[in-house]
Amino acid sequence: MQMSKFMTPEIIFGQQAISQTGESLVRLGATRVFLVSDPGVVNAGWVEQVIHYLKASGLDYSLWTEVTPNPKDYEVHAGVVAYRDCGCNAILGVGGGSAIDATKAIALLGTNGGSIHQYEGVDKITRPLPPMVMVPTTAGAGSEISQFSIIGDTARKVKMTIISKSLIPDIAIIDPQTLTTKDKRLTANTGMDALTHAIESYISLAATPLTEVLSLQAMRLISQYLRPSAASQYNAEAKQAMAMASLQAGIAFSNAILGAVHAMSHQLGGLLDLPHGEVNAILLPYVLEYNYIAAPERYKNIAEALGENTAGLSLHDSSRLALKAVKDLARDLDIPESLASLGLLPEHIDLLSSHAVLDVCMATNPRDMTVQDVISIFHKAL
C-alpha cells in the first residue's frame, strides 16, 4: 500500500451543535470574530442564532455577507479588506459551500496577502491562517472539513481550485436542523453534490482504505435518505442522515480528491455561474460511463451501496447497475437531463474542455482523459 495522509478538523455533530459555536471559538483564542455568511442564510435565521451564541460566550463580532453563489475573486478581495479593518483574530463561516469557500479564501489572504489568483493549485500557502470555525447549512459541499476552496476567476471565467491542508478549518460544527430551511431544489442539488463527492472519491486514483469506507457509507445514506429529505423539509431522520452523508463524503474527497465530473463542472460554474450540484448531477452519468472500464469491480460496489440487488449477476451486469441507480435517483429528484437546459451552448464546449483537462481534480480521475474526450462528454450531456 502506498503512503497516504488523512486529515480532518475537529468535528461537532448533532442536534443543537450550533450552540457550540461561541465556546468553540473561545477555545481557539478568539476575542473578536469575523463572521462570513450570505443573505439567504441571514434570512433563514441561522446567523441570528450564531450571533446569540457568540454574545453568550463574550465574543465581539463583525458580520460580512457580500457573498454570492459561486464566490468570485473580487468578493474575496473585498472581504479581506473588511476583515483587516475590523481587527478580528478569528474567522467564522456560516452557510453553504459558497460562503465557506469564501471564508477560507478570506482567511488565506488575511495572513498570506496578495491576490487569490496566486494560490490556484496545490500547496501554495506559506503562512498559517487565523483560527477558523465553519457551520455548514446545506449538506452537500463538504467545504467545512475539506482542504479545498473554489473561487471564480471573473477575468478568465473559470473556477480556481485551491488545495492546501492549511484550508482545513480548526472546527466544523454540523447541525442537521439547519437543513430544515432548504427548499426541495436546493436539497436535491446539494445531495447530488454529496453523491458525486462519494462516488468520485471512491474511484479516485488517490483513494485509500480510510476514504473508501466513508465514500461507500455516504452512498448508502444518500440512496436511502435523499429522496425523503427532498420530499419534506421537516423529516428529521432524513436531515440527520444527509448531514452525516455529506460529512462522510466530504472527508473522503478532501483526502482522496475527485475526478472529471468536478474538473468539468468547475468550468461551467466559472463561465455560466450555474448551480454546482445540479451541474454535477447532469454530468455524473456521462462521466461514469466513460470511466467504467477503469474500475468495473468498484462500480459493482457502488451499485450495491446505492441499493441495487446484484445477487446472481455477472460482474458486467452488476457493475452496470451503478449507472442505473444514479440515473434513477436524479430522475426522482427532477434534476434536469441536459446542460443545454441550463444555458450551455455548443460553441462553449471547446474552451470549457481545454480548461477542464488542466483542473487539479482531473489528476485523480481513474481513466486518462484528453481534451477530445472531454468535448465528447460535454456534447453527450448537451
Side-chain angles (χ1 to χ4, degrees):
M1 177 182 167
Q2 66 182 17
M3 181 167 41
S4 62
K5 293 188 295 183
F6 189 84
M7 299 171 289
T8 68
E10 177 184 334
I11 297 167
I12 303 173
F13 183 97
Q15 297 294 332
Q16 295 300 318
I18 198 171
S19 67
Q20 299 298 301
T21 307
E23 185 269 341
S24 295
L25 284 155
V26 169
R27 286 194 286 116
L28 295 174
T31 55
R32 184 172 178 82
V33 179
F34 190 63
L35 170 52
V36 178
S37 190
D38 65 57
V41 178
V42 171
N43 291 337
W46 301 118
V47 169
E48 182 181 359
Q49 280 207 32
V50 164
I51 289 173
H52 167 78
Y53 295 118
L54 294 180
K55 291 179 177 179
S57 295
L59 293 168
D60 292 327
Y61 70 93
S62 179
L63 175 62
W64 188 78
T65 60
E66 305 302 314
V67 182
T68 60
N70 299 311
K72 320 297 188 294
D73 44 13
Y74 63 85
E75 294 169 355
V76 169
H77 293 152
V80 174
V81 172
Y83 168 71
R84 289 175 174 159
D85 287 347
C86 78
C88 296
N89 64 349
I91 293 188
L92 169 63
V94 180
S98 294
I100 293 177
D101 277 356
T103 304
K104 293 196 285 189
I106 291 167
L108 186 173
L109 294 185
T111 54
N112 284 260
S115 164
I116 195 63
H117 309 89
Q118 297 170 226
Y119 301 93
E120 183 177 9
V122 182
D123 292 337
K124 296 186 178 180
I125 300 172
T126 58
R127 298 176 183 173
L129 275 60
M132 294 189 293
V133 173
M134 303 297 169
V135 181
T137 61
T138 58
S143 186
E144 71 278 3
I145 50 80
S146 83
Q147 56 179 325
F148 283 65
S149 179
I150 311 297
I151 303 297
D153 181 330
T154 52
R156 292 186 294 152
K157 293 188 176 181
V158 300
K159 281 189 174 183
M160 299 178 289
T161 301
I162 303 166
I163 304 178
S164 170
K165 65 180 180 181
S166 298
L167 292 173
I168 298 175
D170 295 281
I171 302 174
I173 298 174
I174 299 146
D175 191 331
Q177 71 173 336
T178 62
L179 307 183
T180 59
T181 53
K182 294 167 58 182
D183 62 26
K184 175 183 177 181
R185 184 182 180 192
L186 183 58
T187 299
N189 289 348
T190 54
M192 290 300 291
D193 191 20
L195 178 63
T196 308
H197 293 157
I199 291 176
E200 288 211 292
S201 62
Y202 183 64
I203 63 176
S204 165
L205 294 177
T208 71
L210 282 171
T211 64
E212 290 163 1
V213 66
L214 291 168
S215 300
L216 287 171
Q217 180 58 15
M219 291 181 223
R220 295 184 189 105
L221 290 172
I222 292 166
S223 174
Q224 184 175 354
Y225 289 103
L226 179 51
R227 290 177 178 90
S229 182
S232 170
Q233 286 185 261
Y234 306 107
N235 185 326
E237 180 183 6
K239 301 305 179 189
Q240 180 159 315
M242 286 305 302
M244 180 58 72
S246 176
L247 170 62
Q248 292 172 336
I251 295 172
F253 91 75
S254 179
N255 288 279
I257 317 302
L258 294 159
V261 175
H262 275 79
M264 296 170 69
S265 67
H266 288 161
Q267 315 319 314
L268 278 163
L271 180 67
L272 300 176
D273 203 19
L274 298 175
H276 176 66
E278 195 164 67
V279 173
N280 281 347
I282 295 171
L283 284 171
L284 183 58
Y286 297 98
V287 174
L288 283 175
E289 183 71 53
Y290 176 86
N291 283 335
Y292 173 77
I293 65 169
E297 298 86 357
R298 288 185 172 252
Y299 277 51
K300 177 183 178 182
N301 296 338
I302 292 170
E304 291 171 348
L306 294 179
E308 296 294 330
N309 183 2
T310 64
L313 298 179
S314 66
L315 175 61
H316 176 272
D317 290 345
S318 59
S319 59
R320 298 294 295 180
L321 289 175
L323 297 168
K324 173 184 177 298
V326 169
K327 292 175 181 177
D328 287 350
L329 179 57
R331 183 177 59 251
D332 290 348
L333 296 172
D334 295 324
I335 299 292
E337 295 185 359
S338 72
L339 294 175
S341 67
L342 302 184
L344 179 65
L345 300 175
E347 52 263 36
H348 294 146
I349 290 176
D350 285 357
L351 179 62
L352 292 174
S353 301
S354 65
H355 288 158
V357 295
L358 302 176
D359 191 284
V360 172
C361 292
M362 195 64 85
T364 47
N365 193 67
R367 184 180 177 188
D368 295 343
M369 192 172 286
T370 66
V371 172
Q372 193 56 50
D373 294 326
V374 179
I375 289 172
S376 176
I377 293 172
F378 269 132
H379 276 290
K380 289 177 181 177
L382 194 59

